[in-house]
Amino acid sequence: MTDPLGRRGQALSYQEEIEPGLFTQVRTVVDPSTGLLLAQVRTNTTTLANGRQAELRVSTSYQVVDWTDERPELPARRD
């Protein structure tokens, strides 16, 4: 499949029911030559009161996936 940035990859797909009648299809796209994550695409589908279907697509694309030895900065504590 092609990810939202136009890169070709291999997709792993599954469907989950978020609530009764509301389903989401999740596709995780990886680069088959490196095994690195390219994107995750979630498509929500529901049936409206008039019988028509509505679809909402949300995606996250990863341009850089890498290792680091640095610790992340934690947010300041709020007491």
Side-chain angles (χ1 to χ4, degrees):
M1 103 171 250
T2 302
D3 79 351
L5 297 180
R7 302 171 295 182
R8 296 285 302 159
Q10 187 72 38
L12 169 67
S13 181
Y14 63 92
Q15 186 177 25
E16 63 185 17
E17 187 172 18
I18 299 172
E19 59 184 57
L22 179 61
F23 295 90
T24 187
Q25 179 181 14
V26 181
R27 288 187 179 163
T28 301
V29 186
V30 297
D31 180 336
S33 64
T34 64
L36 294 176
L37 180 63
L38 297 177
Q40 184 179 70
V41 180
R42 298 179 71 86
T43 305
N44 297 337
T45 306
T46 189
T47 303
L48 303 175
N50 63 5
R52 294 179 56 193
Q53 293 228 334
E55 183 176 282
L56 173 65
R57 184 169 292 147
V58 178
S59 66
T60 303
S61 296
Y62 301 92
Q63 293 182 319
V64 176
V65 178
D66 208 349
W67 292 98
T68 182
D69 291 329
E70 297 177 20
R71 290 181 162 258
E73 286 188 36
L74 298 176
R77 268 184 75 171
R78 294 183 188 197
D79 291 326

